[in-house]
Amino acid sequence: MGMTDVLIVGAGPTGLVLACDLARRGAVVRLVDRSPAPPRTSRAKGPNPRSLEILDDLGVAEKVLAAGSAPPPMLKYRDRLPVAEADPWAGSTPSPDAPYDRGWLIAQWRLEAILRDRLAGYGVRVELGREVLGLTQHTNEDKGEGEGPHVDVTFAEGPAGRARYVAGCDGAHSSVRKLLGIGFEGTTDEDQVMVCGDVELADGALDRTRWHQWFDEDGAVMLCPIPGTRTGWWFQAGPERDGRGRPLAPTADGFRRLLAHHTALPGGALTRAELLSTYRVNVRMADRFRAGRVFLAGDAAHVHAIAGGLGMNTGIQDAFNLGWKLSLVLAGHADATLLDTYEEERLPVAAHTLDLTSERLRATLEAIRRPGGGLDAAITPDSTGLGVGYRWSSLDAPRAGAPTAAPHAGYGAPGAPVGGDRAPDAPCADAATGARTRLHRIFAGPRTTVLGFGPGSTAVLREVADAYGGAGVRTCRVYAAHEDRAGAEPGAVVDDAGHAAAAYGTGASGGTGTGTVVVVRPDHHVGASAPADDARSVREYLRRLHGTGRSTDQSSDRSPGMVDAAR
């Protein structure tokens, strides 16, 4: 039985993002799913701005944008007549530090297909019809034939599997979570019910440039155009109910009755309905995201109210947090304690998201009681995901023995990102060629990035490059427009408009300070920020993630096989 590095259970967006991230880092990955065929689901309407940044890092954002569309304005009705229009995104525009200013509509099955294609490029294919029935963890080499700690996985059919780690990304009814005996505390509101499906409407029945929302005192119907289709729509509605007030299961005829009751369209305008489902408001969270060598991510770890569309997005972001940590431990660079920071960082985010989505649902239910209220009540700056950070994380706190003014101080201007914050983007130019690029493009691919601002940073960058150049760390000198760039190292950039200096608070516009060095984790979060004369803080941080450098490269390290996200 061959040993897999990571066996991922569940091939939805969370599992696919984790598999892509690990595979490009050279890890040996298996991705299994109990479904006999790729599921055609339309639960999630698409990635939010933070997830788009992650998809960009994985090299698929352009395909996702091309296959989807921007969310349209919302047209709201009462008693069949239009009463208000709202565009929650009207006031937002891309900014230098955040190129994606709104989420993107794309059918979930289409997003999954794009990620499966990307994964296939690394030689990994989803193994369908593989249901996990058992997990046995071996903490030593008792039955491992010298293979070290691992997990034996048994399936309903076919041979067992063996992996160093397992990730349960298998949804709200997660088999992995149940096998681990991890609690899934929370509530299911049997009264807050919605029926959903993908429907076809007669050609020209409704304006496809709007998200139509009928909210009446006795129910609601919402129709959002599905990008990439000519007559396809997402249908959501309050359910029909029986004589005792209990919700009825969704049917095509039921959808037609709801359409005729709430809208000015005849029921017959709905020509086809598929992927019918009933959605109940579930607010639940696993009490831990890890048991030994097994991790939970996405809906297996947390389910939220639908408001704000944060379910799939939180899962994608779980995966992006876990992937690089697993790969550094597997490669022998980082100590296994790095894996403790996954739950430490992501569990509080999930808890906050549960509170946030529940509050947005409450606000939306309140809003739709009045004519003109609608789903725009759920869209807030929080729903972009761009504000999520990990300032509480032990990974980003000053280490014992580090200077008291160490990485957390956030040198430079007030508001400069500190350890744990999302690392801002900024447009810049390649110092050698003048070609336009941006910081997130430099961060892309499976590495830690060390940015140097100001002349004083050069020595630290050279030391980092000498120690870690071949071991998953890249350095990038960021020149201010007025600086002499003679002898600039390959990969250096010019902050010609000053956006990088502004975003990182380095005060590089004519300042005479020593300069600043910023370590950016592989998941685009600031790990450390220090004055350029404090090389010790930078060294200590990198040692936690990458060991001592080139001297560790010779043993179990698989980093030479790392596949960069070359574009």
Side-chain angles (χ1 to χ4, degrees):
M1 186 190 319
M3 179 77 81
T4 301
D5 284 333
V6 185
L7 177 82
I8 301 167
V9 184
T14 302
L16 285 162
V17 165
L18 181 58
C20 287
D21 198 23
L22 286 165
R24 68 176 177 165
R25 297 170 188 278
V28 180
V29 180
R30 284 181 69 187
L31 177 55
V32 301
D33 196 284
R34 65 189 295 175
S35 302
R40 264 189 78 102
T41 55
S42 61
R43 289 185 297 268
K45 287 197 175 66
N48 66 10
R50 177 61 189 138
S51 292
L52 285 169
E53 292 182 344
I54 291 169
L55 295 169
D56 193 16
D57 190 293
L58 294 175
V60 297
E62 287 179 12
K63 285 188 174 177
V64 170
L65 294 174
S69 70
M74 300 175 177
L75 183 57
K76 293 169 285 190
Y77 304 75
R78 178 65 63 110
D79 297 327
R80 301 185 177 185
L81 297 174
V83 291
E85 186 167 297
D87 184 352
W89 303 276
S92 63
T93 51
S95 59
D97 67 332
Y100 301 108
D101 67 318
R102 62 196 65 200
W104 207 248
L105 295 183
I106 179 172
Q108 183 174 326
W109 63 266
R110 186 77 186 84
L111 173 64
E112 290 173 1
I114 290 169
L115 287 166
R116 279 197 304 275
D117 285 349
R118 185 65 169 168
L119 188 59
Y122 298 117
V124 181
R125 300 195 180 275
V126 179
E127 299 174 44
L128 295 163
R130 304 284 277 160
E131 183 180 0
V132 174
L133 292 187
L135 298 169
T136 307
Q137 299 201 47
H138 300 287
T139 54
N140 52 36
E141 300 184 16
D142 51 358
K143 292 170 70 177
E145 298 147 22
E147 291 183 314
H150 64 275
V151 186
D152 284 334
V153 184
T154 52
F155 300 101
E157 293 180 15
R162 176 168 289 174
R164 291 184 172 87
Y165 295 97
V166 171
C169 306
D170 50 342
H173 302 290
S174 169
S175 301
V176 172
R177 186 188 65 239
K178 291 170 184 170
L179 287 168
L180 294 173
I182 290 178
F184 202 45
E185 296 305 312
T187 58
T188 300
D189 192 324
E190 296 295 343
D191 285 335
Q192 287 187 325
V193 177
M194 195 163 58
V195 289
C196 313
D198 287 12
V199 303
E200 298 274 342
L201 295 183
D203 203 357
L206 270 183
D207 175 5
R208 288 184 65 83
T209 67
R210 295 292 181 271
W211 185 339
H212 302 269
Q213 303 172 10
W214 293 264
F215 293 110
D216 295 320
E217 291 190 15
D218 62 344
V221 167
M222 292 153 275
L223 283 163
C224 181
I226 302 176
T229 65
R230 203 167 57 84
T231 56
W233 297 78
W234 283 300
F235 181 101
Q236 296 167 278
E240 295 185 296
R241 294 182 182 267
D242 65 14
R244 297 171 59 184
R246 292 175 302 197
L248 295 172
T251 64
D253 282 340
F255 281 10
R256 291 186 182 102
R257 287 190 294 269
L258 287 164
L259 193 71
H261 179 72
H262 290 285
T263 82
L265 293 171
L270 194 154
T271 55
R272 199 175 94 224
E274 58 183 7
L275 304 176
L276 307 189
S277 64
T278 299
Y279 170 82
R280 286 179 172 78
V281 175
N282 263 313
V283 181
R284 294 180 181 274
M285 192 168 87
D287 43 42
R288 52 202 169 109
F289 288 7
R290 179 187 183 188
R293 304 181 79 79
V294 185
F295 299 83
L296 299 177
D299 285 359
H302 44 76
V303 289
H304 324 111
I306 202 168
L310 291 173
M312 176 186 79
N313 287 291
T314 306
I316 286 173
Q317 292 152 34
D318 287 345
F320 205 53
N321 184 288
L322 180 59
W324 66 273
K325 295 173 180 177
L326 278 170
S327 77
L328 286 178
V329 172
L330 284 163
H333 289 313
D335 187 86
T337 56
L338 178 64
L339 299 175
D340 296 337
T341 66
Y342 167 65
E343 178 182 291
E344 180 191 0
E345 291 181 347
R346 293 304 299 173
L347 192 146
V349 169
H352 173 70
T353 305
L354 258 60
D355 292 343
L356 174 68
T357 50
S358 296
E359 163 55 27
R360 289 297 89 209
L361 178 64
R362 186 204 59 73
T364 303
L365 293 173
E366 178 72 24
I368 63 177
R369 288 164 57 184
R370 300 182 301 278
L375 299 187
D376 47 309
I379 308 296
T380 68
D382 283 326
S383 53
T384 66
L386 297 173
V388 172
Y390 311 115
R391 289 190 181 191
W392 60 84
S393 171
S394 61
L395 190 56
D396 302 307
R399 309 311 307 153
T404 51
H408 236 56
Y411 293 91
V418 300
D421 290 354
R422 168 188 166 272
D425 202 354
C428 42
D430 185 284
T433 67
R436 300 309 301 172
T437 185
R438 49 195 179 87
L439 291 184
H440 276 206
R441 184 68 56 190
I442 290 155
F443 301 160
R447 299 190 204 167
T448 298
T449 304
V450 183
L451 298 176
F453 295 86
S457 68
T458 304
V460 183
L461 293 185
R462 193 170 296 130
E463 180 187 327
V464 169
D466 287 346
Y468 297 99
V473 181
R474 65 162 73 80
T475 57
C476 177
R477 173 77 162 85
V478 183
Y479 287 92
H482 64 270
E483 282 187 79
D484 177 11
R485 301 187 288 279
E489 306 78 8
V493 296
V494 184
D495 182 23
D496 46 4
H499 291 305
Y504 287 85
T506 61
S509 52
T512 56
T514 57
T516 304
V517 178
V518 181
V519 182
V520 180
R521 304 171 5 166
D523 58 355
H524 309 168
H525 286 268
V526 173
S529 177
D533 57 8
D534 180 15
R536 177 180 167 190
S537 289
V538 176
R539 269 197 305 270
E540 289 191 358
Y541 190 83
L542 289 174
R543 192 175 295 128
R544 293 192 71 203
L545 301 190
H546 295 274
T548 54
R550 288 182 192 268
S551 60
T552 65
D553 248 18
Q554 312 308 318
S555 57
S556 63
D557 180 11
R558 272 204 283 327
S559 66
M562 226 187 258
V563 186
D564 207 337
R567 272 168 287 211

